[in-house]
């Protein structure tokens, strides 16, 4: 079993390496085809897009994965059915609301040119919700290679569709050019989900057979969903505030949007690149952590493995100048990359520690810590970028402070886990006892 897990992790690492390379290639091509200003518009829309899909793509897959891993074999599709039903109901509400309020949301971002991108985001709510729940099931039954292959298929399709459309339609107005990456994501996700369903060929019972599982799955999903919503709301507010605060530092509006595109569209994705590896590799171990939480020695071993996945984040420091000068062809990005490089480890370790808390059923404590940290980050985002001597560096300082506080909170919860374990175990026990004997 250990050898199988090691091989599985190695394969997922290789697949995700290709996926991230394709993602970086797409970022480079977009920066050259669109320019910094349109990249800034894309980032503004992306913040709203992520906020819209978060209710269905954060807590639900983790809840389905955890309940599937701890459920009897004959009932393992029941959490999946419950999750799919919840996605349908939520999408019926969220998609019309997204379309109805898109003009108001566009005005709130401070740039109405994001409107076409928001229209393209609405269908993603249902599509990504379905994909997330199926991925949660696959991780729960320890078939974690299939989500990795699906992501590779989606990334290839996203790159092909996006670049193909931009080359075929070179004279698109800025709002519609900025919407092309979102449209490409929607189309690629549809085909990626079709790929998973075709390979999985999972016979499912009628959804009514899992009626009693809906509330337990929802109960386990809500704390993680709440945490992620806070984080995505923070990101959305940041995307709106950063150009405004850069203008307060003395920059013109277009220059401030371009600086946002450079920071959020080019630098930050590189700094967060290790999170993709830590997320995928940790998901392989999360079902095992859920099963081993009453075996301290095995639990420590698995937690240590999760944190080791974050170690390669330090390599970004070495690659930063190459990314700025050779790939993006914007030498002015070099000091931003160098200044922000230490954030890689903070992003990665905070991400891993949050995933471990979810695997141990400590989502509520994680959510409680995210609220004051988000408030602190927003305060710093408001204060620091407005200073002429800081500007984008102030944004990186604010993000670094937030991630450092998040990591400290998560490590504190893990350290004092024995004191908090009773309440989390009781909540978990109540959720599972509602649908099956323990």
């Amino acid at each position: 079993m250990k050898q199988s897990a090691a091989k599985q992790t190695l394969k997922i690492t290789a697949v995700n390496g290709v996926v991230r390379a394709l993602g970086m290639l797409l970022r480079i091509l977009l920066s050259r085809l669109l320019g910094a200003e349109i990249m800034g518009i894309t980032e503004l829309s992306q913040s709203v897009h992520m906020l819209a899909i978060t209710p269905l793509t954060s807590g639900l897959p983790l809840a389905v994965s955890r309940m599937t891993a701890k459920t009897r074999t004959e009932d393992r599709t029941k959490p999946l059915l419950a999750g799919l039903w919840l996605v349908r109901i939520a999408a019926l509400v969220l998609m019309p609301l997204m379309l109805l309020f898109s003009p108001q949301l566009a005005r709130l971002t401070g740039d109405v040119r994001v409107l076409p991108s928001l229209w393209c985001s609405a269908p993603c709510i249902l599509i990504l919700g379905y994909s997330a729940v199926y991925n949660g099931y696959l991780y729960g039954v320890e078939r974690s290679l299939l989500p990795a292959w699906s992501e590779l298929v989606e990334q290839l399709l996203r790159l092909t569709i996006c670049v193909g459309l931009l080359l075929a339609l070179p004279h698109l107005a800025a709002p519609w050019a900025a919407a092309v990456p979102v449209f490409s994501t929607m189309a690629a996700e549809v085909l990626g989900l079709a790929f998973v369903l075709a390979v999985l060929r999972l016979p499912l019972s009628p959804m009514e057979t899992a009626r009693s599982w809906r509330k337990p799955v929802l109960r386990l999903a809500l704390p993680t969903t709440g945490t992620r919503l806070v984080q995505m709301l923070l990101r959305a507010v940041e995307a709106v505030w950063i150009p405004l605060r850069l203008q307060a530092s003395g920059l013109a509006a277009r220059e401030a949007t371009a600086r946002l595109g450079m920071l959020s569209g080019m630098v930050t994705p590189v700094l967060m690149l290790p999170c993709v590896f830590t997320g995928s590799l940790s998901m392989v171990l999360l079902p095992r952590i859920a099963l081993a939480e009453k075996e301290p020695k095995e639990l420590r071993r698995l937690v240590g493995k999760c944190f080791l996945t974050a170690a390669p984040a330090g390599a970004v420091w070495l690659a930063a100048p190459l990314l700025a000068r050779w790939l993006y062809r914007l030498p002015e990005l070099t000091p931003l990359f160098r200044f922000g490089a230490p954030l890689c480890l903070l992003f990665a370790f905070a991400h891993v520690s949050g995933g471990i808390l979810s695997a141990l059923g400590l989502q509520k404590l994680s959510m409680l810590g995210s609220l004051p940290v988000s408030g602190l980050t927003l305060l710093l985002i408001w204060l620091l970028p407005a200073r002429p001597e800081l500007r984008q560096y102030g944004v990186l300082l604010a993000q670094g402070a937030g991630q450092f506080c998040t990591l400290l909170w998560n490590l504190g919860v893990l350290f004092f886990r024995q004191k908090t374990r009773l309440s989390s175990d009781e909540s978990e026990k109540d959720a599972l006892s509602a649908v099956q004997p323990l």
Side-chain angles (χ1 to χ4, degrees):
M1 176 66 74
K2 290 182 180 179
Q3 185 179 9
S4 175
K7 288 182 178 179
Q8 190 179 49
T9 300
L10 182 61
K11 290 178 181 178
I12 291 174
T13 302
V15 174
N16 276 294
V18 177
V19 170
R20 290 312 102 198
L22 291 172
M24 184 57 62
L25 175 61
L26 178 58
R27 285 276 178 182
I28 295 164
L29 293 175
L30 285 177
S31 68
R32 296 181 182 180
L33 292 170
L34 298 178
E37 184 179 353
I38 299 180
M39 285 288 284
I41 300 171
T42 301
E43 286 303 313
L44 284 172
S45 68
Q46 186 71 6
S47 62
V48 181
H49 169 83
M50 294 301 295
L51 186 61
I53 66 173
T54 292
L56 301 183
T57 59
S58 52
L60 271 178
L62 287 171
V64 170
S65 175
R66 183 170 173 82
M67 291 194 74
T68 301
K70 302 190 77 171
T71 297
R72 298 173 305 192
T73 303
E74 60 269 23
D75 288 331
R76 281 193 159 184
T77 60
K78 299 295 178 63
L80 170 63
L81 290 170
L84 293 175
W85 183 86
L86 290 169
V87 166
R88 288 185 185 181
I89 297 303
L92 285 174
V93 176
L94 294 174
M95 289 173 63
L97 287 176
M98 182 72 176
L99 292 171
L100 180 63
F101 290 104
S102 287
Q104 289 83 355
L105 290 170
R107 283 193 288 270
L108 283 174
T109 65
D111 195 327
V112 294
R113 292 178 293 177
V114 304
L115 185 56
S117 300
L118 300 186
W119 288 336
C120 293
S121 294
C124 294
I125 295 173
L126 178 64
I127 299 162
L128 290 171
Y130 261 55
S131 295
V133 170
Y134 270 103
N135 286 346
Y137 167 80
L138 290 167
Y139 284 121
V141 296
E142 299 192 22
R143 292 187 61 181
S144 47
L145 272 176
L146 184 51
W149 284 115
S150 172
E151 190 176 357
L152 177 58
V153 170
E154 292 165 11
Q155 192 72 291
L156 282 168
L157 292 169
R158 185 180 296 114
L159 174 64
T160 303
I161 295 170
C162 187
V163 174
L165 285 175
L166 290 174
L167 291 176
L169 303 169
H171 303 298
L172 282 175
W176 293 100
V180 168
V182 184
F183 174 82
S184 304
T185 296
M186 177 187 68
E189 289 289 348
V190 170
L191 297 172
L193 177 60
F195 169 78
V196 170
L197 295 177
V199 174
L200 187 57
R201 294 182 181 179
L202 184 67
L204 295 177
S205 306
M207 285 195 175
E208 289 303 310
T209 61
R211 178 188 292 269
S212 61
W213 291 74
R214 294 170 187 170
K215 286 185 178 179
V217 169
L218 182 61
R219 189 186 307 171
L220 289 178
L222 283 177
T224 302
T225 301
T227 301
R228 289 289 293 166
L229 277 173
V230 169
Q231 293 171 349
M232 290 301 104
L233 183 60
L234 172 65
R235 177 174 173 175
V237 174
E238 283 181 2
V240 176
W241 278 10
I242 290 171
L244 293 176
R245 302 311 291 164
L246 289 175
Q247 290 178 53
S249 74
L251 296 177
R254 286 185 175 271
E255 176 65 16
T257 302
R259 296 283 184 99
L260 173 66
M262 293 167 62
L263 180 65
S264 299
M266 302 177 192
V267 176
T268 302
V270 175
L271 301 182
M272 296 187 69
L273 191 62
C275 291
V276 180
F277 293 96
T278 58
S280 297
L281 293 174
S282 295
M283 282 299 287
V284 177
L285 298 175
L286 294 191
R288 293 179 171 87
I289 290 175
L291 293 173
E293 60 182 314
K294 294 183 180 179
E295 302 175 19
K297 186 175 180 180
E298 178 66 8
L299 182 60
R300 285 194 295 270
R301 187 183 71 84
L302 292 172
V303 168
K305 274 191 173 183
C306 282
F307 277 107
L308 280 175
T309 64
V316 175
W317 173 276
L318 300 174
L322 301 178
L323 291 169
R325 295 177 180 276
W326 294 357
L327 296 181
Y328 284 119
R329 294 180 180 175
L330 291 173
E332 59 266 35
L333 292 179
T334 301
L336 277 176
F337 274 122
R338 286 175 172 165
F339 187 85
L343 268 174
C344 286
L345 280 174
L346 286 176
F347 280 133
F349 279 124
H351 190 235
V352 168
S353 60
I356 293 170
L357 292 184
S358 296
L360 294 173
L362 300 172
Q363 303 97 314
K364 291 182 181 179
L365 290 172
S366 178
M367 181 177 66
L368 288 175
S370 70
L371 296 176
V373 170
S374 298
L376 171 65
T377 305
L378 282 178
L379 176 62
L380 294 176
I381 286 288
W382 183 261
L383 295 175
L384 298 181
R387 299 177 65 87
E389 68 272 19
L390 291 177
R391 289 178 174 160
Q392 300 105 303
Y393 298 96
V395 177
L396 294 174
L397 283 171
Q399 292 174 341
Q403 292 300 311
F404 181 71
C405 292
T406 297
L407 178 59
L408 284 182
W409 174 266
N410 291 345
L411 292 177
V413 172
L414 285 173
F415 183 76
F416 293 106
R417 176 176 172 270
Q418 292 301 322
K419 296 182 179 180
T420 60
R421 179 177 172 180
L422 180 59
S423 60
S424 65
D425 285 353
E426 287 298 321
S427 175
E428 179 82 5
K429 184 176 179 180
D430 290 343
L432 285 171
S433 63
V435 291
Q436 68 174 30
L438 292 176

